[in-house]
Amino acid sequence: MLNQRIRQLRQARSMSQVDLAKRLNVTKQSVSNWENDNIQPSIEMLVKLSAVFSVSTDYLLGLKDEP
């Protein structure tokens, strides 16, 4: 669920993986790995993702359907 939400939110904002990586100060490979469900972002990064996308961490994790 998390990987799908990250990809969906990124694409809805017309951001590339590189754009998102720069905003979070990580590599494009990290973003790709999250979206392909190879690895999970850290709790700290989850909080940063929620701030970048202006959604709750519960939404990112699939615990709520409302952003």
Side-chain angles (χ1 to χ4, degrees):
M1 177 62 71
L2 176 59
N3 63 319
Q4 295 168 356
R5 293 270 165 102
I6 293 171
R7 178 178 283 125
Q8 177 187 34
L9 290 165
R10 178 182 59 76
Q11 290 175 339
R13 287 158 178 75
S14 300
M15 295 174 75
S16 69
Q17 289 182 341
V18 172
D19 294 333
L20 180 56
K22 285 180 181 177
R23 294 217 31 204
L24 297 170
N25 199 27
V26 298
T27 64
K28 178 212 174 276
Q29 188 65 38
S30 291
V31 175
S32 177
N33 280 328
W34 299 335
E35 290 186 1
N36 290 316
D37 209 21
N38 295 327
I39 60 170
Q40 299 295 314
S42 67
I43 293 172
E44 177 184 332
M45 197 53 61
L46 188 65
V47 171
K48 288 181 181 182
L49 283 162
S50 71
V52 166
F53 293 132
S54 299
V55 297
S56 70
T57 54
D58 282 353
Y59 177 77
L60 285 174
L61 294 170
L63 301 173
K64 289 186 177 180
D65 290 331
E66 297 291 321

